[in-house]
Amino acid sequence: MFAGLPELGISNGEDLKETLTNCTEPLKAIDQFQMDNGILLPTLQSALPFLDLHGTPRLEFHQSVFDELREKLMERVAMIAEGKEDDRYGKLEELLDKSFPLVKMPSIQPVVMQVLKHLPKVPEKKLKMVMTDKELYKVCAVEVKRQIWQDNQALFGDEVSPLLKQYIVEKEAALFTSDLSILHNFFSPSPKTRRQGQVVLKLTQMIGKSVKLYDMVLQFLRTLFLRTRNVHYCTLRAELLMSLHELDISEICSVDPCHKFTWCLDACIREKFVDGKRARELQGFLDGVKKGHEQVLGDLSMILCDPFACNTLVLSIMRNLQELLSQESLPRDSSDLMLLLRMLSLGQGAWDMIDSQVFKEPRLDLDVVTRFLPAMMSVVVDDHTFSFEQKLPSEEKSSLLYPTTLPDAFNRYLQENRVACEMGLYYVLHIAKLRNKNALLRLLPALVETYNDMAFSDIFLHLLTGHLTLLSDEFRLEEFCSVVFDGFLLTSFSSKENVHRHTLRILLHLQPKVVPKYMESLIRTLEPPKQQSKTLESKCT
């Protein structure tokens, strides 16, 4: 406990034991020991008997003085570090040399840690001692740990890994929440709110102003994204940069070539729309990637692969298409639409680009613009035509029936093209938001076969289940239930556990609305085998 005192010429318990063992008058020896090791203040000696008269133990008195002096010393260390003197760090190093031998003493340790914290460069020998001692490493400040992590990527990875796992768990939990709502869904929190999350704040603190640590975290995120294809790592990459931006950490923001692009995109995500002015800014950043620096496209694609960025881009595309429809214009004639598709394509191709290390923008399949989008817009026209027809007086109505099939190009590109599929899925959400039952019944069967099973992804199912709550009264009809469940969700629930869980989420919400007979059948169908039931139950709660 008192190791290190002899090195500083201060007596410890062993010295007192030796003195008492070898002396002939123990009381005199104790008095002398107290005189030699007590507070060196002559006027204090005459005052100490008064404390004895009040029954105050000497230990209590010395402890209170010690605590007070320690606090004053720690304040003084902070003042020296924050001062302007040229030799301020020299003074701190001198104090560190004197105090470091006592670093294991609990009462002195806070002082040593305070000095270490305020040294921009801790002497290597002492830094190594802190790193190799688990107890010292645990209690040292993050400012000291940063210096250790700079040259110990494995140790830094051990610290960061649990945070990254926690982040993914939190994101996935948000997608499986039992609270279904179109107003409060996965994409509802603003970028600023998301950046106040525990993991983002902790990582930001750990990185500080260190470009090296920031680069290490980005490398961890790229590696994990490649290993898992989990797009939430892309979200964290953007959130981390913008968190550092908000703290005005120019040392990092100024060297990250994605900073201004991410900043502009962040403003679009906040508004859930990419307006013309910001679209041109974003285009300027993409066009400004210089020859020899194409690697930045890998990071830009990762930032565009963030689900919050994708959500904003596709919502903007939907809005753009509606405007083109009202103006009777073709998709290929809109430069804003082409840019949005370019960015969506770049984001969707993030994994392939980083995996192949071929940093080149993926070429957008022009058939998406000339064939798929017109096919999708023809579905919109069909819907408008039928709605208009229904509003006519009965004598003016024709025998027009609502179409039940979809254009071949729509179905084909939904299955074969990633960008087209993303737009098709958001069109389905748009239809559900409008409470358009006929169009939804027409579209849902087409989602059974989509590119890479995108219709059964957690993000889409989270949004779809929330949007379907707007049509809750329609679930009283067996025909509607049959299309939603038998015709879509139940086609893959047995092979995809996440679909099973999302189906249970919506049933939990719609239970009072669903036809009782159909509900009983659904429950029997969805009941998992006994060995799986406990696992599923734990994940759903």
Side-chain angles (χ1 to χ4, degrees):
M1 184 176 176
F2 298 106
L5 286 175
E7 290 180 44
L8 302 175
I10 301 172
S11 301
N12 63 9
E14 288 299 317
D15 294 317
L16 178 59
K17 182 180 177 182
E18 187 179 340
T19 300
L20 292 174
T21 303
N22 299 324
C23 73
T24 53
E25 297 184 56
L27 291 177
K28 281 187 178 181
I30 291 171
D31 285 339
Q32 187 60 47
F33 189 87
Q34 287 178 326
M35 288 283 291
D36 293 341
N37 296 286
I39 298 171
L40 302 177
L41 190 64
T43 53
L44 179 63
Q45 297 306 313
S46 57
L48 286 175
F50 286 105
L51 291 175
D52 298 336
L53 290 172
H54 285 85
T56 303
R58 296 286 176 93
L59 174 62
E60 187 180 318
F61 166 71
H62 282 90
Q63 189 63 51
S64 66
V65 172
F66 178 86
D67 292 344
E68 185 70 24
L69 288 173
R70 183 179 58 198
E71 291 304 312
K72 293 287 183 187
L73 180 56
M74 289 174 69
E75 288 173 14
R76 180 67 182 147
V77 168
M79 284 175 64
I80 291 171
E82 292 163 8
K84 305 285 185 183
E85 297 175 29
D86 293 337
D87 65 337
R88 61 187 184 278
Y89 296 126
K91 288 179 179 179
L92 292 182
E93 284 190 23
E94 189 180 337
L95 179 58
L96 182 64
D97 288 336
K98 290 179 178 178
S99 60
F100 198 79
L102 306 177
V103 70
K104 291 278 198 169
M105 191 183 293
S107 55
I108 297 291
Q109 193 177 80
V111 176
V112 183
M113 291 301 164
Q114 178 81 333
V115 178
L116 288 170
K117 175 184 173 181
H118 285 94
L119 276 174
K121 187 164 177 58
V122 175
E124 192 174 336
K125 186 179 177 183
K126 293 181 175 63
L127 199 62
K128 198 169 183 179
M129 288 174 70
V130 173
M131 181 185 75
T132 53
D133 189 304
K134 287 185 179 179
E135 289 182 12
L136 293 181
Y137 175 78
K138 187 178 179 181
V139 297
C140 73
V142 70
E143 289 84 353
V144 183
K145 286 179 180 174
R146 277 190 213 122
Q147 296 185 46
I148 293 172
W149 295 330
Q150 295 264 10
D151 300 310
N152 292 273
Q153 184 170 343
L155 187 59
F156 185 51
D158 291 342
E159 293 274 358
V160 169
S161 182
L163 292 172
L164 301 185
K165 286 177 184 173
Q166 180 187 338
Y167 184 84
I168 298 302
V169 167
E170 288 172 0
K171 288 292 179 189
E172 290 178 348
L175 289 170
F176 285 103
T177 175
S178 57
D179 183 21
L180 270 66
S181 169
I182 192 171
L183 297 175
H184 303 289
N185 60 39
F186 182 75
F187 294 114
S188 295
S190 70
K192 193 162 187 175
T193 301
R194 287 188 283 117
R195 290 193 285 273
Q196 299 309 306
Q198 183 186 2
V199 173
V200 177
L201 291 176
K202 179 68 175 173
L203 284 173
T204 305
Q205 182 197 28
M206 290 169 74
I207 291 166
K209 297 180 180 180
S210 172
V211 175
K212 194 171 183 181
L213 294 181
Y214 177 67
D215 285 340
M216 282 187 202
V217 173
L218 295 193
Q219 191 54 48
F220 294 151
L221 293 176
R222 289 186 203 102
T223 303
L224 288 165
F225 176 50
L226 274 179
R227 191 180 299 164
T228 65
R229 292 181 181 261
N230 195 317
V231 291
H232 299 311
Y233 290 116
C234 300
T235 306
L236 184 54
R237 196 265 183 252
E239 284 180 352
L240 193 56
L241 175 54
M242 288 311 299
S243 177
L244 293 163
H245 165 85
E246 284 184 345
L247 292 171
D248 200 22
I249 309 294
S250 58
E251 291 86 347
I252 292 174
C253 293
S254 63
V255 296
D256 188 331
C258 302
H259 173 229
K260 289 185 178 177
F261 182 89
T262 310
W263 185 8
C264 183
L265 186 61
D266 186 73
C268 298
I269 292 170
R270 187 176 61 242
E271 304 295 329
K272 289 187 170 61
F273 179 64
V274 183
D275 62 36
K277 182 185 175 185
R278 290 199 177 112
R280 286 186 290 276
E281 281 185 56
L282 292 168
Q283 182 177 11
F285 295 129
L286 291 177
D287 293 341
V289 175
K290 296 176 182 176
K291 195 172 182 180
H293 294 82
E294 292 89 350
Q295 195 166 348
V296 72
L297 284 172
D299 276 326
L300 288 175
S301 68
M302 202 169 165
I303 285 162
L304 286 167
C305 188
D306 164 21
F308 288 86
C310 283
N311 178 62
T312 302
L313 290 173
V314 187
L315 288 176
S316 302
I317 288 169
M318 291 295 118
R319 192 159 152 184
N320 201 290
L321 288 173
Q322 286 174 310
E323 289 174 6
L324 290 174
L325 199 61
S326 65
Q327 296 163 6
E328 298 184 5
S329 300
L330 292 173
R332 62 172 176 257
D333 295 331
S334 170
S335 58
D336 284 351
L337 177 63
M338 295 304 291
L339 173 62
L340 291 168
L341 290 171
R342 176 188 175 187
M343 289 193 289
L344 183 61
S345 178
L346 181 56
Q348 295 283 3
W351 191 91
D352 295 324
M353 185 184 293
I354 297 170
D355 180 53
S356 66
Q357 293 290 292
V358 177
F359 299 105
K360 186 178 179 182
E361 276 195 58
R363 181 172 291 182
L364 176 68
D365 185 351
L366 287 179
D367 283 351
V368 170
V369 181
T370 58
R371 293 179 183 275
F372 172 75
L373 287 180
M376 190 166 83
M377 292 172 85
S378 75
V379 176
V380 180
V381 171
D382 287 344
D383 198 58
H384 281 310
T385 304
F386 184 79
S387 298
F388 182 75
E389 176 84 11
Q390 297 306 301
K391 293 173 185 175
L392 292 173
S394 55
E395 63 271 13
E396 295 181 28
K397 284 184 182 179
S398 66
S399 56
L400 183 71
L401 296 173
Y402 192 85
T404 54
T405 59
L406 291 164
D408 288 341
F410 184 87
N411 286 327
R412 189 170 75 254
Y413 282 95
L414 211 60
Q415 296 169 21
E416 297 175 2
N417 187 279
R418 185 162 34 194
V419 173
C421 185
E422 192 77 61
M423 289 187 285
L425 295 179
Y426 268 77
Y427 177 61
V428 173
L429 295 176
H430 174 70
I431 288 300
K433 189 176 181 179
L434 296 177
R435 297 181 171 86
N436 189 331
K437 183 185 83 169
N438 289 327
L440 192 62
L441 293 178
R442 182 186 182 189
L443 287 160
L444 275 179
L447 302 189
V448 174
E449 291 184 45
T450 53
Y451 182 90
N452 206 24
D453 277 344
M454 286 170 67
F456 296 113
S457 68
D458 286 330
I459 291 175
F460 177 70
L461 290 177
H462 168 90
L463 294 174
L464 180 65
T465 50
H467 281 63
L468 285 174
T469 60
L470 297 174
L471 292 145
S472 57
D473 287 337
E474 301 295 343
F475 283 90
R476 298 181 190 280
L477 304 172
E478 194 163 332
E479 179 201 1
F480 190 79
C481 288
S482 181
V483 172
V484 174
F485 294 106
D486 298 325
F488 175 52
L489 290 172
L490 297 187
T491 60
S492 70
F493 88 97
S494 59
S495 60
K496 296 180 184 296
E497 185 190 300
N498 71 311
V499 180
H500 199 155
R501 292 173 66 189
H502 283 293
T503 306
L504 291 174
R505 286 175 64 242
I506 192 165
L507 278 180
L508 188 66
H509 185 85
L510 295 171
Q511 187 179 1
K513 304 278 187 179
V514 180
V515 186
K517 187 179 177 182
Y518 191 82
M519 187 70 179
E520 289 173 18
S521 172
L522 272 175
I523 290 172
R524 281 195 301 272
T525 305
L526 290 167
E527 186 175 359
K530 288 183 180 180
Q531 64 268 26
Q532 293 180 13
S533 60
K534 289 186 179 179
T535 306
L536 193 61
E537 184 181 342
S538 65
K539 287 184 177 180
C540 290
T541 53

